[in-house]
Amino acid sequence: MVEVAVPTRVHITPFLSVSSYLPICRKIVVTKVARKISGVVASSSSTFSTSSGFGSKQKVDDGQVLLPKKTSKKRVFFLDVNPLCYEGSKPSLQSFAHWVSLFFNQVSLSDPVIVVDGERGSEHRRQLLPSYKAHRWKFLRQFSKGHVGRSHGVITNVLRKCNVPVIKIEGHEADDVIATLVGQVLQSGYRVVIASPDKDFKQLLSEDVQLVIPLEELERWSFYTLKHYMAQYNCDPCCDLSLRCIVGDQADGVPGIQHLAPGFGQKTALKLIKKHGSLENLLKTAAVRTVGRQYAQDALTKHADYLRRNYEILSLRRDVDIRLREEWLVKRDTSNDSRTLSNFFKFLEETQKFSHYNVSVSNG
């Protein structure tokens, strides 16, 4: 069953007064020290350029971001909303408010945005590996009860008022729904930007697919492109899935092979995957001849089923039963953004004050 929250188009003159508790728009803080983030170095000078991922550059000057030059293809954004609702491993509406407001104001602007919701579709993966996203599942069950459970409706309401469709398909994870829709959007002649901190989406990177990742250290979104991936790993993103099957994915609770074969780390895995092209090719070759040092050879032959299980868990499905709708590709009406987000911040501030009052009364 497909659930779609249809946005309402309410034209209200926006105002920009926002609670000082969590401002809607924050300037980029440019530090004096170069930082290495996910293999990409962010320069510390007051004026610098970073790749936008589509043949143009972003210029950051005195804390202001200039959007990349437009190309012939229009952009469609997918917003993976669930990870944004956590601060660390704790559910947080404040975190959602902060990142979504920055996203609408500084990243997507009026480009089409499709929000995909769904963490309850991971039962198949969890049957294969009980530790898969176990920390999120714990808090998801907490989210479904009482006052916290109502937070989901609050989030959906905010997105609906900002004229964003919210897609949810029962029995499927958001990652798989996004992967399926990305292919359909590309076939329609658009470029795709996936807004998410989830490393799983790196396997979708291409010339026409890029990521934009929330960076907590800099309190802003940052584009991550095919060029960034090549610079970080010196290989094609098609190798990313195979690589993570060997080294594991800590964020998803998927252990690598290191605890079974000490010394079989990322350097060895990357070398073998680059040479053989994929995990399956590597395993088939290792079954008939030596592919590397003895510890690597033994690990690949003894734990082939373990690695294939990791592949089934970490690979994104692209065959979810959903069809792209034309209305999801239209320019987003932003006229209600400021009012909606401002009211949401005020709601969070009042809720926090009320919670603090209740705590002080109960302790008094």
Side-chain angles (χ1 to χ4, degrees):
M1 180 180 67
V2 180
E3 295 183 9
V4 180
V6 181
T8 56
R9 298 188 176 274
V10 182
H11 294 275
I12 302 176
T13 303
F15 64 88
L16 298 179
S17 59
V18 183
S19 166
S20 59
Y21 175 63
L22 282 174
I24 279 184
C25 183
R26 302 186 185 187
K27 289 186 177 180
I28 295 174
V29 178
V30 182
T31 64
K32 296 297 182 181
V33 181
R35 304 184 185 202
K36 189 174 182 182
I37 304 169
S38 300
V40 181
V41 176
S43 170
S44 61
S45 59
S46 60
T47 302
F48 62 93
S49 296
T50 57
S51 171
S52 70
F54 296 114
S56 57
K57 291 187 175 181
Q58 285 180 291
K59 186 177 180 183
V60 180
D61 188 5
D62 296 329
Q64 300 296 322
V65 179
L66 301 181
L67 295 176
K69 295 179 180 179
K70 289 185 179 295
T71 61
S72 56
K73 293 183 179 180
K74 295 181 180 180
R75 298 185 303 179
V76 174
F77 284 85
F78 286 93
L79 180 60
D80 182 20
V81 72
N82 287 310
L84 304 181
C85 300
Y86 292 84
E87 187 172 348
S89 59
K90 180 181 178 181
S92 171
L93 284 176
Q94 285 80 4
S95 174
F96 164 78
H98 170 65
W99 289 112
V100 166
S101 63
L102 288 178
F103 177 74
F104 286 151
N105 280 276
Q106 297 183 355
V107 181
S108 67
L109 304 178
S110 61
D111 285 337
V113 177
I114 302 172
V115 169
V116 181
D117 173 31
E119 284 195 0
R120 294 183 178 274
S122 58
E123 284 77 9
H124 172 67
R125 291 181 172 103
R126 193 169 292 109
Q127 287 177 1
L128 294 173
L129 182 65
S131 65
Y132 177 72
K133 293 187 177 179
H135 61 294
R136 283 196 194 176
W137 183 246
K138 172 185 175 182
F139 287 101
L140 183 62
R141 285 181 293 183
Q142 175 187 345
F143 238 73
S144 65
K145 298 178 181 178
H147 173 73
V148 182
R150 292 192 291 273
S151 299
H152 185 272
V154 173
I155 290 169
T156 302
N157 189 50
V158 168
L159 294 170
R160 179 179 59 81
K161 288 182 178 179
C162 289
N163 296 307
V164 174
V166 180
I167 314 303
K168 182 176 181 179
I169 300 185
E170 292 297 331
H172 294 282
E173 284 193 78
D175 298 8
D176 297 325
V177 178
I178 290 175
T180 300
L181 288 174
V182 163
Q184 297 178 26
V185 170
L186 293 176
Q187 290 177 359
S188 299
Y190 292 83
R191 297 177 290 147
V192 169
V193 185
I194 303 171
S196 174
D198 198 332
K199 291 185 294 184
D200 292 345
F201 291 117
K202 287 184 178 180
Q203 60 191 272
L204 300 179
L205 283 169
S206 70
E207 289 290 345
D208 284 332
V209 179
Q210 68 174 191
L211 310 181
V212 61
I213 302 170
L215 298 181
E216 293 184 10
E217 303 93 326
L218 301 181
E219 294 189 338
R220 68 177 176 89
W221 290 87
S222 179
F223 286 94
Y224 186 90
T225 70
L226 176 62
K227 291 181 179 179
H228 289 135
Y229 187 92
M230 296 289 287
Q232 183 176 356
Y233 296 104
N234 193 28
C235 68
D236 193 271
C238 66
C239 298
D240 183 76
L241 176 57
S242 296
L243 177 63
R244 288 192 300 119
C245 291
I246 297 175
V247 301
D249 189 326
Q250 185 177 3
D252 284 349
V254 180
I257 205 172
Q258 295 89 337
H259 68 291
L260 300 173
F264 201 149
Q266 180 168 305
K267 185 177 180 180
T268 301
L270 186 57
K271 180 180 179 181
L272 291 172
I273 293 299
K274 287 173 65 176
K275 180 178 180 180
H276 295 276
S278 70
L279 176 65
E280 190 59 33
N281 287 343
L282 175 60
L283 294 176
K284 287 181 178 179
T285 304
V288 296
R289 66 177 176 83
T290 302
V291 296
R293 294 186 178 182
Q294 194 60 45
Y295 72 88
Q297 180 70 25
D298 291 343
L300 292 171
T301 53
K302 291 180 181 179
H303 306 296
D305 290 342
Y306 177 95
L307 293 170
R308 288 190 172 102
R309 182 207 63 181
N310 278 3
Y311 190 93
E312 185 174 356
I313 292 171
L314 292 173
S315 59
L316 297 180
R317 292 185 54 187
R318 309 183 194 196
D319 60 351
V320 177
D321 186 16
I322 184 172
R323 292 292 176 265
L324 185 68
R325 300 184 184 180
E326 290 186 10
E327 58 263 33
W328 297 346
L329 304 177
V330 300
K331 183 178 179 180
R332 188 175 68 87
D333 180 2
T334 64
S335 62
N336 205 30
D337 285 10
S338 295
R339 182 64 175 262
T340 298
L341 294 171
S342 178
N343 288 341
F344 187 45
F345 279 117
K346 290 178 180 178
F347 164 77
L348 293 178
E349 191 171 3
E350 292 171 359
T351 301
Q352 186 179 52
K353 288 179 180 178
F354 181 74
S355 298
H356 288 167
Y357 173 78
N358 284 342
V359 170
S360 63
V361 169
S362 61
N363 292 337

